[in-house]
Amino acid sequence: MNQPERLRLLIDSLIAERELAVDGSIATTLDESKSLFRALANTRPPMPAADGLLALQDDYLKAEIADAGITELSDYLRYDNTFEEKPHLKNVRAY
């Protein structure tokens, strides 16, 4: 199963478990689908998960992390360890 198929199944499962009157096809692009999944997952009430849902979510998220790779702090630092050219990191200190 590929990532878009996993994502579609996750969305459909999260919609079905809450008996929402929403069709998962409201998300037409991959970005919209990811946003919909995130919204559904973040607002899911605490209750037992359906069989296989957590395993499917785990597989999906592991693949997303592997695809994104790991960002190291050194990726953002200049050689002299200053943040002048990166104002979004002005409060980050490298030790």
Side-chain angles (χ1 to χ4, degrees), residues 74-89:
S74 60
D75 295 339
Y76 291 101
L77 298 176
R78 287 182 21 183
Y79 293 111
D80 60 2
N81 288 336
T82 65
F83 296 90
E84 294 169 11
E85 295 178 8
K86 298 176 176 41
H88 62 287
L89 294 175

Side-chain angles (χ1 to χ4, degrees), residues 6-16 24 33 36-37 40:
R6 281 189 190 110
L7 183 57
R8 173 59 41 210
L9 189 54
L10 283 167
I11 289 170
D12 291 344
S13 298
L14 290 170
I15 288 173
S33 293
L36 179 58
F37 165 67
L40 290 167

Side-chain angles (χ1 to χ4, degrees), residues 8-70:
R8 173 59 41 210
L9 189 54
L10 283 167
I11 289 170
D12 291 344
S13 298
L14 290 170
I15 288 173
E17 79 176 2
R18 287 195 245 175
E19 300 173 356
L20 297 174
V22 173
D23 184 357
S25 66
I26 61 172
T28 57
T29 67
L30 184 58
D31 286 340
E32 288 175 353
S33 293
K34 286 181 178 184
S35 292
L36 179 58
F37 165 67
R38 186 173 180 149
L40 290 167
N42 286 342
T43 59
R44 184 181 183 275
M47 60 184 173
D51 289 342
L53 180 65
L54 295 180
L56 178 63
Q57 180 177 312
D58 191 45
D59 291 343
Y60 172 76
L61 294 174
K62 282 180 180 178
E64 286 293 296
I65 290 169
D67 185 48
I70 297 174

